[in-house]
Amino acid sequence: MEVIILSDPEAVSRVAARIVAKCIREKPHAVLGLATGSTPVGLYRELVRLHRQDGLDFSRVTTFNLDEYVGLPPDHPQSYHSFMRSQLFEHINLRPDRAHVPDGLAQDIPQFCADYEAAIADAGGIDLQVLGIGSDGHIGFNEPSSSLASRTRIKTLTPQTLRDNARFFDDPSEQPHHVITMGIGSIMDSRQVLLLAFGEGKADAVAGAVEGPVGAMMPASALQFHPRAHILIDEPASTKLTRAAYYRWVYEQKPAWQRH
Ligand code: PGA
């Protein structure tokens, strides 16, 4: 794992955007896995800037989002379809038919999930997966006790995650308890992973993911088995890491050719 600790979310978002841009420049038909939530907002803003100012070209890129709420139509303001349109898709030259977000209204959810996995495989697999992390260590919406080999499927959110995300819903009765999410096994298949985390509230989850034992009670810890995982965090999210000084040292020592 590469752990990069930077002063603030803006600095992290800039480095994350450079990693995504490098992936697209090296492989113009790259397949990106995308995340929602407050964490990747700065990354998406920076990608939009790179598109407008540096001509970063998304015309051959394909994207697959991690998750969506069951029962929310794509035009619901809290749906992840809406989030992705307003934060990224409407501002770049990504073809709408290449932007995939799970269908929260799927009638046959198991069939939909199998088709979503097949579509990712048909696209050639995910080159780079962007991830946030829940305060309980979830990635995607793979809550604690999720199988570390899980694939895309329906999940029930924990009360903690419902509380963390309640701020987005004016009417609590509208907040779905179920989601469709890519599994941990699906995430692990991606060729490169970029996990972002900001703030003190994520410090325990980050420490568990990076340094804790690998286990289903800390889903992000599965990334310790990923050969190319970048963990990009701000100072407050790093405070529970026992080896933070070493990770900083490694980053400072990086050979020029390896810098982001
Ligand atoms: P957040 O959510 O970015 O809104 O903190 C992260 C997550 O739940 O994965």
Side-chain angles (χ1 to χ4, degrees), residues 44 61 89 110 140 163 260:
Y44 296 154
V61 167
F89 296 162
R163 275 195 302 276
H260 300 303

Side-chain angles (χ1 to χ4, degrees), residues 13-28 30 32 43 46-47 49-51 54-58 61 128 130 192 194:
S13 298
R14 278 195 297 275
V15 172
R18 285 206 291 274
I19 294 173
V20 176
K22 183 164 184 259
C23 173
I24 296 172
R25 288 192 174 115
E26 285 176 359
K27 186 175 179 183
L32 302 180
L43 162 63
E46 187 62 13
L47 288 176
R49 191 190 67 74
L50 290 173
H51 169 67
D54 294 352
L56 183 63
D57 182 12
F58 291 83
V61 167
L128 191 158
V130 176
Q192 205 177 163
L194 195 55

